[in-house]
């Protein structure tokens, strides 16, 4: 499967490099987080400058994968070049979880926070501020939409018509 969108990070690359799979909702935001962690550990600002355009491309991918409510959607992969029906996975890929898995929303908030930090380090103040505000907005929205007050835990997914009350790790 070859990604049709720039910025998407594969979640599987075989050791021989012959197979690359992109059908993952969480690989791209997790990659953004990993780059920020690497920078904090290494202090390698030259690497950060070099990779920054790719991080912004990954951000565009996240925006394309998000719905009008700003939630990251895992569903049938609409950007695949494969003739077969592809289903986006999450880290819990043994179970199909349609639509908007709660942890993907949290990972997206973390990716925006980390990319805001990187933008700030690289003195891209407009991007840093925009991402900081978007992360705060989405964080509040997750707590409002996903929190089940009655049972006092987060819903697993936001589906087409209802929230999933499945208990998952």
């Amino acid at each position: 499967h070859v990604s049709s969108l720039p910025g998407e990070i594969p979640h599987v690359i075989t050791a021989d490099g012959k197979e690359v799979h992109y059908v993952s909702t969480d690989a791209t935001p997790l990659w953004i987080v990993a780059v920020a962690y690497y920078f904090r550990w290494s202090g390698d600002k030259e690497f950060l400058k070099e990779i920054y355009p790719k991080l912004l491309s990954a951000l565009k991918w996240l925006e394309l994968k998000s719905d009008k409510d700003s939630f990251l959607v895992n569903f049938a992969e609409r950007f695949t070049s494969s003739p077969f029906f592809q289903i986006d996975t999450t880290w819990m890929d043994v179970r199909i979880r349609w639509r908007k898995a709660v942890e993907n929303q949290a990972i997206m908030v973390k990716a925006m926070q980390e990319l805001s930090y990187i933008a700030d380090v690289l003195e891209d103040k407009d991007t840093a501020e925009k991402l900081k505000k978007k992360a705060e907005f989405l964080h509040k929205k997750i707590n409002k939409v996903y929190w089940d007050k009655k049972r006092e835990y987060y819903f697993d997914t936001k589906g087409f018509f209802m929230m999933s009350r499945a208990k998952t790790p």
Side-chain angles (χ1 to χ4, degrees):
H1 163 72
V2 177
S3 172
S4 304
L5 291 175
E8 185 174 12
I9 301 301
H11 77 289
V12 172
I13 302 173
T14 57
D16 62 9
K18 291 183 180 178
E19 288 188 50
V20 179
H21 299 276
Y22 286 90
V23 189
S24 171
T25 307
D26 53 11
T28 300
L30 286 171
W31 176 73
I32 294 169
V33 172
V35 168
Y37 283 17
Y38 169 76
F39 172 70
R40 283 192 179 92
W41 173 79
S42 70
D44 188 349
K45 195 169 181 179
E46 289 307 310
F47 168 76
L48 208 56
K49 288 178 190 175
E50 180 182 326
I51 205 161
Y52 190 60
K54 290 178 174 51
L55 291 166
L56 294 177
S57 183
L59 176 64
K60 286 188 191 318
W61 182 85
L62 289 173
E63 290 168 349
L64 284 169
K65 290 288 291 185
S66 299
D67 66 5
K68 64 179 174 34
D69 293 324
S70 301
F71 290 131
L72 191 58
V73 178
N74 53 296
F75 186 55
E77 179 55 69
R78 56 187 181 195
F79 303 113
T80 182
S81 59
S82 170
F84 301 106
F85 182 70
Q86 299 283 323
I87 299 171
D88 279 335
T89 62
T90 66
W91 67 275
M92 200 169 23
D93 60 4
V94 296
R95 185 168 169 248
I96 295 173
R97 296 164 69 224
W98 296 111
R99 302 293 290 155
K100 305 167 195 174
V102 66
E103 77 278 2
N104 284 344
Q105 311 321 314
I107 293 167
M108 184 140 111
V109 168
K110 182 66 173 169
M112 287 180 197
Q113 291 168 337
E114 295 297 348
L115 193 48
S116 174
Y117 161 74
I118 290 169
D120 195 46
V121 166
L122 296 177
E123 299 181 14
D124 181 356
K125 302 298 180 189
D126 290 340
T127 300
E129 190 59 31
K130 177 183 105 176
L131 287 170
K132 181 180 176 188
K133 286 180 182 176
K134 192 166 184 178
E136 289 170 359
F137 166 80
L138 189 56
H139 183 236
K140 288 176 185 172
K141 192 167 189 170
I142 291 166
N143 285 327
K144 181 179 178 186
V145 172
Y146 282 83
W147 183 249
D148 183 345
K149 291 178 187 174
K150 183 178 177 185
R151 292 174 179 82
E152 296 187 340
Y153 66 86
Y154 287 93
F155 290 108
D156 180 46
T157 58
K158 183 177 186 322
F160 288 110
F161 305 109
M162 60 189 282
M163 303 299 285
S164 167
R165 288 185 169 82
K167 289 187 179 180
T168 65

